[in-house]
Amino acid sequence: MISHEQQLEELKRRLREIDHLEKANAVLYWDMSTYMPPGGSAARGQVLSTLSQIAHEKFTSAEIGRLLDGLQPYAESLPHDDDDAALIRLTHRNYDKSVKVPTAFVGEVTEHISNVYQAWMTARPVNDWASVRDPLKKTLEYSRQMAGYFAPFDHIADPFIDMSDYGMKTVDIRRVFGELREELVPLVKAITSQQPADDTIIRRYFPEAPQLAFGEAVIRDMGYDFERGRQDKTAHPFETRINSGDVRILTRVDEHYFGDAFFSTVHEAGHAMYEQGINPAYDGTPLAGGTSAGVHESQSRTWENIVGRSREFWQHYYPRLQQMFPEALGDVTMDAFHRAVNKVVPSLIRVDADEVTYNLHVMIRFDLEVALLEGTLEIEELPRAWNERYTNDLGITPPDYQSGVMQDVHWFGGTFGGAFQGYTLGNLLSAQFYEAALKAHPTIPAEMARGQFGTLHDWLKENIYQYGSKYTAPELIQRVTGGGIEVAPLMRYLRNKYGALYQL
Ligand code: ZN
């Protein structure tokens, strides 16, 4: 009979080994997305898949199951907020999920999805819906089969939501989204009934080098640590944690649109500051990551939107920006620039949407993927249903598949379900957390107007970042706000800000 200390040591040793495989994968994936020559892609894909298969096998081993069962009484004897208790709890939860899905099925689905992704890459630019339609039917079948492994559930979409936003169910998301939609639609109508902001000034010529320099100077001020991170260019910006001493971000530059590089740099830096701020003692364990898709997104949105698109922020940074781009911005006032980076207009493409209409894009996708899983919507009908919702909700109809149902990678690079709700949960939470920070420190906006972010960053570290995945999202929200997820703070923030910008 081995002691629980020995069992815990052995569990941590095994988790560390798995973590090393995953981190090797992360570096290889980063390299693939940045500097790898195109000729390396097929072989690199195989290496990535081998490593993740080995990691999966190691994690689902019977020995991990035995260790977790053996440690159960010890975990229950500890206080709920003890680090070891949290580690055992989270690992057990992940383990139970992983062993439910047969390895052969995972392999089959992974191969199918990688084929769909390849097909989508070719089909999207030429607007070819027909060639992805049948593969998507198969994806839907696989998704329903996948959900089946988690039965019983209240709703077929629940297992997928649970994987990215643990603690929430379809019924919760529907309630929150319904409430938000009711408040958001009239606000969008009120804004769009007015003269739209002129954003042609941020679509002038902005050379790449000063764009990157400006973005990096800003995130350094915000508290992104370049001693423990770096920024490189890629096609689709993301953030990746190698370990607590190495959290990287990636951006892309459009010399004819200022918004692309700058706001994606700040967005990814928001994700990265979360991960740089996690207690380094959690390294090598599942605690060393963001606790849910929604909470992670709340951190990117806080820095990108609440800070990076605020009047206070630009009061400080606009003179410097103007100096760096005298030709593009020499004749543009701070007010005009601030309005341009906050232009609200119903558009077809989610990733380009402003912070007011963005959530309507997310709700459309959430409702459609839930309907597909329920069987109340067929793949054949998906493009029609998509266009109908855009016409109803945003007042515009996609002219083609490319700017409609084929725009997002999610359904073509994964299963149906759970992929989108985190974006809107993140927007809601960013406003809730920021309200809590303001309540504790009402000077935050005044500090921002001086280019100082230390009080906000420290508050986020202390209340959110350091815990990693120690608390579940509902536990964390409860600790920080004293309640659950709410619509009102985001609506207060939006009404306040856009009320001033548009005289509502
Ligand atoms: Zn994000």
Side-chain angles (χ1 to χ4, degrees):
M1 180 76 188
I2 56 168
S3 69
H4 63 73
E5 283 93 350
Q6 286 166 309
Q7 285 180 315
L8 187 59
E9 234 6 87
E10 177 60 12
L11 178 69
K12 286 182 177 170
R13 191 191 64 77
R14 285 172 181 258
L15 291 175
R16 227 170 9 245
E17 207 174 64
I18 295 160
D19 179 70
H20 291 169
L21 290 165
E22 286 167 351
K23 293 310 152 57
N25 240 7
V27 179
L28 290 170
Y29 186 79
W30 173 87
D31 172 74
M32 183 171 87
S33 317
T34 49
Y35 301 110
M36 190 186 77
S41 78
R44 180 60 53 86
Q46 288 165 7
V47 176
L48 290 170
S49 130
T50 301
L51 283 177
S52 45
Q53 221 172 303
I54 297 172
H56 181 79
E57 276 165 20
K58 283 184 175 288
F59 186 61
T60 51
S61 74
E63 188 50 34
I64 295 247
R66 271 194 292 275
L67 286 165
L68 286 166
D69 286 340
L71 283 163
Q72 199 55 29
Y74 169 61
E76 281 161 16
S77 76
L78 295 168
H80 186 81
D81 66 351
D82 179 272
D83 284 353
D84 285 342
L87 173 67
I88 296 164
R89 224 166 27 235
L90 175 61
T91 310
H92 217 152
R93 206 167 78 212
N94 292 345
Y95 179 81
D96 287 346
K97 277 181 198 162
S98 295
V99 295
K100 275 186 179 155
V101 188
T103 314
F105 177 76
V106 174
E108 205 180 310
V109 175
T110 310
E111 198 185 326
H112 168 73
I113 284 171
S114 113
N115 292 337
V116 182
Y117 178 74
Q118 294 305 328
W120 172 73
M121 290 282 274
T122 318
R124 187 173 72 147
V126 294
N127 217 25
D128 177 12
W129 163 255
S131 74
V132 292
R133 188 187 49 217
D134 290 340
L136 276 190
K137 282 186 203 164
K138 189 77 201 162
T139 303
L140 182 56
E141 269 173 44
Y142 278 135
S143 308
R144 300 173 61 89
Q145 193 181 338
M146 169 89 96
Y149 293 120
F150 296 90
F153 40 68
D154 298 338
H155 189 283
I156 188 169
D158 286 353
F160 299 102
I161 294 169
D162 198 77
M163 285 175 210
S164 44
D165 288 290
Y166 176 76
M168 296 210 80
K169 291 179 179 224
T170 311
V171 61
D172 306 311
I173 311 270
R174 277 184 166 153
R175 178 176 44 75
V176 174
F177 282 14
E179 205 182 308
L180 178 61
R181 196 181 143 87
E182 224 162 84
E183 308 241 357
L184 214 46
V185 171
L187 179 67
V188 171
K189 280 215 175 92
I191 294 174
T192 51
S193 66
Q194 300 191 24
Q195 182 72 21
D198 172 16
D199 69 342
T200 58
I201 51 183
I202 55 171
R203 296 176 187 279
R204 293 174 175 174
Y205 177 60
F206 293 86
E208 174 170 317
Q211 275 206 60
L212 289 171
F214 178 74
E216 290 183 3
V218 166
I219 59 172
R220 183 173 275 124
D221 290 352
M222 288 174 165
Y224 176 74
D225 182 357
F226 277 93
E227 289 296 310
R228 298 187 294 137
R230 54 178 289 130
Q231 173 165 263
D232 295 271
K233 288 200 297 169
T234 190
H236 302 283
F238 65 97
E239 168 264 349
T240 182
R241 177 193 167 94
I242 313 295
N243 54 60
S244 63
D246 185 355
V247 184
R248 305 180 189 189
I249 56 173
L250 299 101
T251 193
R252 65 172 170 217
V253 182
D254 179 347
E255 293 196 312
H256 296 279
Y257 179 46
F258 171 78
D260 207 13
F262 178 71
F263 290 110
S264 78
T265 292
V266 177
H267 180 100
E268 301 309 333
H271 283 302
M273 287 190 279
Y274 183 10
E275 304 227 28
Q276 284 184 335
I278 295 172
N279 182 352
Y282 298 164
D283 262 22
T285 79
L287 296 180
T291 191
S292 72
V295 171
H296 226 307
E297 193 68 6
S298 77
Q299 294 317 298
S300 57
R301 290 303 204 173
T302 298
W303 292 99
E304 177 197 355
N305 287 338
I306 299 180
V307 177
R309 291 181 205 267
S310 70
R311 167 169 291 274
E312 290 84 358
F313 176 86
W314 289 109
Q315 268 167 10
H316 179 77
Y317 285 100
Y318 189 64
R320 194 195 299 183
L321 189 71
Q322 225 176 359
Q323 263 172 20
M324 290 176 87
F325 300 98
E327 280 175 34
L329 298 175
D331 62 343
V332 178
T333 63
M334 198 278 277
D335 276 341
F337 180 82
H338 182 235
R339 277 176 68 85
V341 297
N342 285 295
K343 180 179 180 176
V344 176
V345 63
S347 60
L348 292 172
I349 307 294
R350 174 184 61 88
V351 296
D352 296 334
D354 58 82
E355 60 180 328
V356 185
T357 59
Y358 186 89
N359 297 304
L360 296 176
H361 292 261
V362 172
M363 290 175 198
I364 292 174
R365 288 152 177 78
F366 177 79
D367 290 346
L368 293 176
E369 66 179 13
V370 167
L372 286 169
L373 286 168
E374 281 175 342
T376 51
L377 177 66
E378 300 294 329
I379 294 289
E380 266 100 353
E381 292 298 302
L382 183 59
R384 186 196 49 77
W386 179 286
N387 287 3
E388 231 172 66
R389 281 294 298 270
Y390 267 81
T391 312
N392 280 335
D393 295 11
L394 287 143
I396 40 174
T397 311
D400 50 32
Y401 297 115
Q402 201 175 358
S403 54
V405 70
M406 288 175 79
Q407 68 179 266
D408 292 307
V409 62
H410 304 63
W411 294 337
F412 303 91
T415 49
F416 285 102
F420 288 103
Q421 78 285 330
Y423 294 115
T424 286
L425 296 178
N427 289 330
L428 292 166
L429 289 171
S430 69
Q432 278 189 269
F433 292 154
Y434 187 68
E435 265 193 5
L438 273 186
K439 207 168 146 193
H441 303 285
T443 55
I444 286 173
E447 289 173 30
M448 259 190 303
R450 296 195 297 272
Q452 295 164 355
F453 307 98
T455 305
L456 175 61
H457 193 173
D458 287 347
W459 185 90
L460 291 168
K461 252 193 279 188
E462 193 188 319
N463 291 281
I464 297 169
Y465 297 175
Q466 63 160 319
Y467 297 120
S469 295
K470 173 170 166 169
Y471 298 113
T472 65
E475 284 169 356
L476 187 75
I477 300 164
Q478 171 72 36
R479 285 175 61 93
V480 176
T481 69
I485 195 155
E486 271 183 57
V487 165
L490 179 68
M491 290 312 300
R492 272 197 288 275
Y493 159 78
L494 292 175
R495 286 205 182 94
N496 204 353
K497 174 171 173 179
Y498 291 90
L501 276 165
Y502 284 90
Q503 287 105 38
L504 296 177

